[in-house]
Amino acid sequence: MKRLRPIGVTLGCTMLAGGAMAQLSITPPAQTPPAKKEAPKETKPKVHAPVVKKPAPKPAATATPTPTPSPTPTQAAADDPNVDVVFGAYQRGMYKTAFDLATTRAQTNNDPKAMTMLGELYANGLGVKRDYVKADGWYKRAADAGDREAMFALAMMKIAGRGGPVDKDAAVKLLASSAKLGEPKAAYNLALLYLDGQTLPQDLRRSAELLRMAADAGNPEAQYALATFYKEGTGVPKDLEKAVRLLQAASLADNVDAEVEYAIALYNGSGTPRNVPAAIALLRKAARQNSPIAQNRLARVLATGAGAAVDKVEALKWHTVAKTAGKGDPDLDDILADMPPADRAKAEAAARKWIGNNVK
């Protein structure tokens, strides 16, 4: 299910014409590519195995009673809304089983979670042929029954025009209802609409409130975006320390943009004690995650020895990879111009190998 694109916050310039973003003192301003989408995570529930009782001793009578057939574990689970084997099957990739169990539960128990699961399976073509109209129908039934995840999914479909015409007004209402019920993805995407100012009138304070709601629930995209708000004083008072704490939280969740900016904050000691080794470790991690900004910053560190041992072969490798992604750097071209031909060939071979294995 396609989600709204996360906020594209730049590194080295403001999101909304505010003050300059923090950057490594050895680097020029540059833009950060948009953050990756985040699929909703769910916690795998425990599935309790049925308890098998010991058979009672046979009576002395010669007649043997006919035993009553006991339900199979699958039948019992389908009838018991407290045993979520539907999601368990979904997590294990058993989509046809999940579909069958969810269908039984939706039809017999009117279970909103089962309806949402059917919407998900139809929307993504998992275990069944993709059918946005049927997905829309199941999501709507679940949303009408109060399921916040179905409200969010249905809103995204209406924004994308899947299963029916584009209906942004309906999508906004669904997002608001879902966010009110505590769905962080809905709060985050509604915040984007208030920030964008096209579907809804721009309201930076309301956008910040919704981002805070999603950030407090652990959404890394919201944490990163709210960090930018605090850094720039957008919709909230400017607070660099709060911004850095949010960047740290988002970077721990592997948000690449947050990793880069948190590394820069650690390198410069902006809003947090200076820690160059930790900063460079984060730059390496983000570089391996294909962030051109991190690759460029790491190349500068390695080329100049500003915080790490000089390694021009590795520096040229990352510089070449970053240039391939559109992040050129004339200063680095000059710094690395006098490399011996053998070292240059080694670096370029390493860059080609990296690009071949990691760039799609």
Side-chain angles (χ1 to χ4, degrees):
M1 158 175 59
K2 187 174 180 180
R3 293 174 53 196
L4 280 180
R5 185 173 181 170
I7 296 175
V9 185
T10 58
L11 182 66
C13 61
T14 64
M15 179 195 297
L16 297 166
M21 302 279 280
Q23 56 183 307
L24 287 174
S25 57
I26 60 171
T27 59
Q31 289 189 333
T32 300
K36 294 181 179 179
K37 302 172 187 173
E38 161 99 1
K41 295 182 180 178
E42 300 182 68
T43 304
K44 185 174 180 179
K46 294 181 180 178
V47 181
H48 301 283
V51 177
V52 180
K53 297 181 180 179
K54 285 187 177 182
K58 290 185 179 180
T62 54
T64 303
T66 303
T68 302
S70 58
T72 64
T74 299
Q75 290 171 332
D79 295 335
D80 183 359
N82 296 317
V83 180
D84 197 357
V85 293
V86 177
F87 184 64
Y90 176 84
Q91 279 192 313
R92 293 192 296 274
M94 300 167 63
Y95 302 124
K96 184 64 169 65
T97 299
F99 178 82
D100 292 340
L101 290 172
T103 300
T104 300
R105 192 174 292 179
Q107 291 175 345
T108 59
N109 300 328
N110 290 319
D111 184 348
K113 288 296 181 186
M115 297 172 188
T116 301
M117 176 60 73
L118 290 171
E120 183 76 5
L121 295 171
Y122 273 119
N124 293 284
L126 301 173
V128 290
K129 185 178 179 180
R130 177 174 284 170
D131 189 326
Y132 288 129
V133 173
K134 288 183 178 179
D136 182 276
W138 282 114
Y139 280 142
K140 187 176 187 309
R141 286 183 61 181
D144 290 345
D147 186 80
R148 69 186 193 183
E149 293 180 353
M151 294 173 188
F152 168 71
L154 186 58
M156 293 297 97
M157 290 190 67
K158 291 189 177 299
I159 286 174
R162 291 176 177 165
V166 172
D167 190 341
K168 292 186 178 180
D169 289 339
V172 167
K173 291 177 182 177
L174 285 162
L175 287 175
S177 296
S178 182
K180 189 174 181 179
L181 291 173
E183 175 53 59
K185 298 185 297 294
Y188 170 68
N189 282 278
L190 190 58
L192 296 187
L193 296 179
Y194 276 112
L195 177 63
D196 182 62
Q198 295 185 23
T199 302
L200 291 169
Q202 189 177 67
D203 187 335
L204 299 180
R205 288 188 178 182
R206 179 58 179 152
S207 181
E209 289 171 0
L210 288 162
L211 287 176
R212 187 179 297 109
M213 184 189 306
D216 288 346
N219 183 288
E221 284 77 20
Q223 291 167 341
Y224 173 68
L226 187 59
T228 304
F229 274 38
Y230 275 115
K231 186 180 292 186
E232 303 300 328
T234 302
V236 292
K238 191 172 182 178
D239 191 325
L240 191 55
E241 290 185 359
K242 283 185 179 180
V244 170
R245 286 198 295 270
L246 285 161
L247 288 174
Q248 181 184 31
S251 68
L252 289 172
D254 291 331
N255 182 290
V256 180
D257 290 324
E259 288 171 359
V260 175
E261 290 207 43
Y262 184 46
I264 290 170
L266 287 169
Y267 190 98
N268 293 331
S270 303
T272 185
R274 194 165 191 253
N275 189 334
V276 173
I280 294 172
L282 263 181
L283 286 178
R284 288 186 186 277
K285 180 183 177 184
R288 290 193 295 268
Q289 291 171 295
N290 272 333
S291 164
I293 301 298
Q295 291 161 352
N296 170 260
R297 285 359 183 214
L298 180 58
R300 280 186 162 254
V301 166
L302 296 172
T304 62
V310 173
D311 186 341
K312 290 192 175 182
V313 171
E314 189 75 359
L316 180 57
K317 167 195 164 181
W318 288 119
H319 175 45
T320 304
V321 172
K323 281 203 298 185
T324 301
K327 181 68 187 89
D329 190 333
D331 289 339
L332 266 179
D333 288 335
D334 293 340
I335 294 170
L336 300 172
D338 61 351
M339 286 179 62
D343 286 350
R344 179 172 294 277
K346 183 178 179 181
E348 290 174 348
R352 286 194 299 271
K353 182 178 180 181
W354 173 269
I355 293 166
N357 291 337
N358 295 280
V359 178
K360 295 180 181 180

